[in-house]
Amino acid sequence: MDDDVAKAVLAVGVGGVLLRWHAWRAWLCVAPSSVRVEADTPEPVEPPAVLGSLHAQLLEQGFTMLGTHVEHPRLGPPLVVHDYASEAQGAFASTFVSTDGHARCYLLTGCANEGLALTANYPRLSEELAQRYVVGHLDGVGVERLLKAHTRRAATIGSPRGPWTLDERVVLARRWYATVGSRELRHQNAVSLLWTLGALGMVGAALFKALT
């Protein structure tokens, strides 16, 4: 095999691997609102064992299971989210298993003025805009402490608004991706966009050299 052809094959192979891992994340950076959010099961579903502790803590705090919804990035793997709600606490709660196998939880409140409040127990991009949204995190804390922080922060942007149903939870998820969540996705996936552009350049250059 000619050296140039061998190098081209290697470059295409490496570029293909990079595209496999980064292309869908790059698309999230370019078009964050393309994430499809759909209700999955409209009744309570027993969460996997890894989410068992969070499940028990949420029930202790007065949350009721709603069901699950799916967040599906274009070209990427779907994320199954287990949803809860508490009208008394004025919040939805969601749990899921991260890509590295860890249990994650966040609280989300939609306010009467269309504002959004989100507080997570894992690192997320912090954002705040008066009367519109407030986003924060407390790494690794339990649900009780997370709820206290969330309630205090949500009160700064408006009164909680229901209905406390799975359909409304899906509506809030879509609103999240169309507004403040889009900035978070761009921040999270900017590096993948650079890798994707580099991989495309690598593949294009190798093919051009091999064919000329």
Side-chain angles (χ1 to χ4, degrees):
M1 181 181 292
D2 184 277
D3 283 348
D4 287 342
V5 174
K7 290 177 181 178
V9 170
L10 178 61
V12 169
V14 172
V17 171
L18 291 174
L19 289 173
R20 169 67 180 83
W21 287 104
H22 293 285
W24 69 272
R25 295 182 175 90
W27 183 252
L28 278 180
C29 184
V30 174
S33 61
S34 65
V35 176
R36 300 196 310 275
V37 182
E38 303 291 344
D40 184 26
T41 55
E43 65 275 329
V45 176
E46 192 68 24
V50 67
L51 297 176
S53 176
L54 289 172
H55 170 73
Q57 292 178 61
L58 286 166
L59 296 183
E60 288 175 1
Q61 295 301 315
F63 283 84
T64 301
M65 297 181 70
L66 297 177
T68 59
H69 77 268
V70 177
E71 301 180 4
H72 200 160
R74 187 171 297 176
L75 307 177
L79 176 68
V80 178
V81 182
H82 295 259
D83 294 312
Y84 305 72
S86 172
E87 182 174 0
Q89 303 287 7
F92 289 97
S94 294
T95 65
F96 64 94
V97 182
S98 66
T99 55
D100 55 1
H102 290 96
R104 304 299 194 197
C105 177
Y106 64 92
L107 305 178
L108 179 66
T109 295
C111 298
N113 62 351
E114 301 299 314
L116 290 169
L118 186 151
T119 311
N121 73 342
Y122 58 95
R124 296 189 71 146
L125 182 66
S126 295
E127 293 270 4
E128 190 166 348
L129 179 64
Q131 303 302 311
R132 294 302 301 163
Y133 53 80
V134 56
V135 184
H137 62 269
L138 295 171
D139 296 354
V141 303
V143 170
E144 183 177 7
R145 184 179 170 192
L146 190 70
L147 180 59
K148 289 179 180 178
H150 178 76
T151 302
R152 183 175 62 252
R153 291 166 63 83
T156 65
I157 61 170
S159 302
R161 185 184 71 180
W164 305 100
T165 63
L166 183 62
D167 286 342
E168 179 64 15
R169 175 64 184 87
V170 169
V171 167
L172 291 182
R174 291 171 179 165
R175 189 196 306 170
W176 169 263
Y177 282 116
T179 57
V180 60
S182 64
R183 284 186 287 277
E184 182 179 49
L185 286 182
R186 288 191 176 101
H187 180 269
Q188 290 175 340
N189 296 288
V191 172
S192 285
L193 177 60
L194 296 177
W195 275 110
T196 299
L197 293 175
L200 289 172
M202 179 190 305
V203 171
L207 292 176
F208 178 80
K209 187 174 183 179
L211 296 173
T212 57

